Amino acid sequence: MEAVDGNAIGGLLQEVFGTEMTAAGSVCGNCGAARQVAELAVYAYAHAPGTVVRCPSCDSVLMVFVKIHDRTCVDLLGLAALG
Amino acid sequence: MAGTAVRRRLTWQVAKVTAVTVETASVRTITLDVPGWPGHQAGQHVDIRLTDEDGYVAERSYSIASAPGEPVALTVERLDDGEVSPYLTDELRAGDDLELRGPIGGYFVWEPDDGGPLLLLAGGSGVVPLRSILRHRERTGSTVPVRLLYSSRTLNDVIYRNELDIPTAGVEVIHTLTRHQPPGWAGYARRVDAALLAEVAWPAAAMPLTYVCGPTSFVEAVSQDLVRSGYRPERVKTERFGGTGGT
């Protein structure tokens, strides 16, 4: 499927982190590429509870968000830095 | 870094539709009264949430079309297989309630102090946040020079056509119609590519500030062409909304 970008999850990120995150910096844990969160590749699946954020340079998974009822499970293990 | 991080809890709230305006056959502008709206920046968006009788929830993001200080207005393109947009464009009426949260975003935003010259590149309904930037520029008396290159399928698909036809000092609007052109059309009639950008974009030496919004394929191609031509990547801001429509 075609990716959108980090702008599309600005609301989700603000819900999780409590602050505006699309202009925040990020560093890929695999290739070290540094980008603002808005520039990351986002795969949001309309009929599944998960959102996957990948590095546009090396395609590594950087962040995963899964919503179950009112809880959002967050996996940031692919990131070397955020913020 | 552009934009200021504002620590504010993002909560869903109910807005009231005050007007629905026809823009094109498939596009409507929905003007809203949002109680307690904290104000927005040009380029930001809101999340819309629809809940059906069975409790099924669908969420989508829509760019704010109005300038800061104006009532919140969203311009929505109908996607035939969409879960949210057909309701917004076909069913919603003045007086209806709509659940939203926002404003959202601090990357794809422009303030007069960010300067220019501005290069705005729109594919289809990607023109919506750029229209907010144009109106904000005008309302604040900014004299930053602007070029808007706007790719549409046909003349009838051009959103805000009347508004864009009225010349504003310092703003050049350049259209390209990719699928069909009316008789006597003097504008561009092809997809935006490196050659077209070389003709209409500011020279890289002018250090332009660029905002590109449209379908993912449009944004990818255009932003890569600009960077190859010498534009600084950190001054090319991008917003991709997926799909293929409208360019």
Side-chain angles (χ1 to χ4, degrees), chain A residues 2-26 36-41 46-47 56 67 70 83, chain B residues 1-2 4-10 12 45 47 56 59-61 83 101 103-108 215-217 233 236-244:
Chain A
E2 194 177 36
V4 292
D5 62 34
N7 295 294
I9 54 167
L12 170 66
L13 294 171
Q14 196 164 332
E15 181 184 312
V16 169
F17 293 101
T19 189
E20 202 299 298
M21 292 296 289
T22 62
S26 74
Q36 286 176 274
V37 169
E39 298 169 337
L40 301 176
H47 296 283
K67 268 199 167 172
D70 287 337
Chain B
M1 196 167 287
T4 309
V6 177
R7 199 167 283 277
R8 186 178 60 81
R9 194 170 163 76
L10 190 63
W12 292 100
H45 68 268
D47 289 346
Y56 176 75
E59 281 178 34
R60 292 293 183 277
S61 298
E83 283 189 325
R101 65 180 183 183
I104 294 165
Y107 163 87
F108 199 86
T216 300
S217 56
V236 179
K237 292 178 179 289
T238 49
E239 184 162 282
R240 301 156 177 85
F241 55 66
T244 54

Side-chain angles (χ1 to χ4, degrees), chain B residues 118-196:
Chain B
L118 281 177
L119 180 63
L120 309 179
L121 297 162
S125 57
V127 74
V128 176
L130 308 182
R131 189 255 202 160
S132 175
I133 291 174
L134 284 172
R135 289 177 81 95
H136 189 41
R137 174 191 174 279
E138 191 169 359
R139 285 168 56 89
T140 56
S142 166
T143 55
V144 165
V146 184
R147 284 181 190 161
L148 166 65
L149 173 58
Y150 181 7
S151 175
S152 310
R153 285 197 195 111
T154 75
L155 194 58
N156 287 335
D157 294 315
V158 174
I159 307 168
Y160 316 128
R161 189 170 138 201
N162 292 339
E163 192 173 307
L164 295 175
D165 278 350
I166 300 168
T168 305
V171 178
E172 293 173 74
V173 179
I174 301 132
H175 291 280
T176 184
L177 304 178
T178 57
R179 191 168 294 179
H180 179 264
Q181 303 80 32
W185 175 249
Y188 290 101
R190 61 182 206 259
R191 291 195 171 276
V192 177
D193 56 16
L196 203 160

Side-chain angles (χ1 to χ4, degrees), chain B:
Chain B
M1 196 167 287
T4 309
V6 177
R7 199 167 283 277
R8 186 178 60 81
R9 194 170 163 76
L10 190 63
T11 50
W12 292 100
Q13 64 178 123
V14 176
K16 186 76 78 180
V17 177
T18 58
V20 178
T21 311
V22 175
E23 300 285 359
T24 74
S26 61
V27 176
R28 302 287 181 272
T29 291
I30 298 157
T31 309
L32 297 165
D33 177 24
V34 190
W37 184 247
H40 62 272
Q41 291 182 279
Q44 285 188 303
H45 68 268
V46 299
D47 289 346
I48 295 288
R49 177 162 81 177
L50 299 183
T51 308
D52 73 9
E53 302 101 37
D54 302 327
Y56 176 75
V57 174
E59 281 178 34
R60 292 293 183 277
S61 298
Y62 292 98
S63 289
I64 300 171
S66 48
E70 294 182 314
V72 177
L74 311 176
T75 300
V76 178
E77 180 180 23
R78 184 188 207 284
L79 305 176
D80 289 337
D81 57 351
E83 283 189 325
V84 174
S85 64
Y87 173 79
L88 299 179
T89 57
D90 300 356
E91 307 294 334
L92 205 62
R93 298 286 181 272
D96 288 349
D97 288 338
L98 189 62
E99 203 176 10
L100 63 74
R101 65 180 183 183
I104 294 165
Y107 163 87
F108 199 86
V109 294
W110 179 81
E111 292 293 345
D113 285 349
D114 295 332
L118 281 177
L119 180 63
L120 309 179
L121 297 162
S125 57
V127 74
V128 176
L130 308 182
R131 189 255 202 160
S132 175
I133 291 174
L134 284 172
R135 289 177 81 95
H136 189 41
R137 174 191 174 279
E138 191 169 359
R139 285 168 56 89
T140 56
S142 166
T143 55
V144 165
V146 184
R147 284 181 190 161
L148 166 65
L149 173 58
Y150 181 7
S151 175
S152 310
R153 285 197 195 111
T154 75
L155 194 58
N156 287 335
D157 294 315
V158 174
I159 307 168
Y160 316 128
R161 189 170 138 201
N162 292 339
E163 192 173 307
L164 295 175
D165 278 350
I166 300 168
T168 305
V171 178
E172 293 173 74
V173 179
I174 301 132
H175 291 280
T176 184
L177 304 178
T178 57
R179 191 168 294 179
H180 179 264
Q181 303 80 32
W185 175 249
Y188 290 101
R190 61 182 206 259
R191 291 195 171 276
V192 177
D193 56 16
L196 203 160
L197 288 169
E199 286 180 48
V200 306
W202 303 103
M207 293 288 290
L209 181 56
T210 303
Y211 293 78
V212 190
C213 187
T216 300
S217 56
F218 172 88
V219 173
E220 293 286 326
V222 166
S223 57
Q224 286 167 21
D225 284 340
L226 286 172
V227 170
R228 268 188 223 114
S229 76
Y231 274 51
R232 292 173 62 150
E234 68 273 19
R235 286 180 69 79
V236 179
K237 292 178 179 289
T238 49
E239 184 162 282
R240 301 156 177 85
F241 55 66
T244 54
T247 62

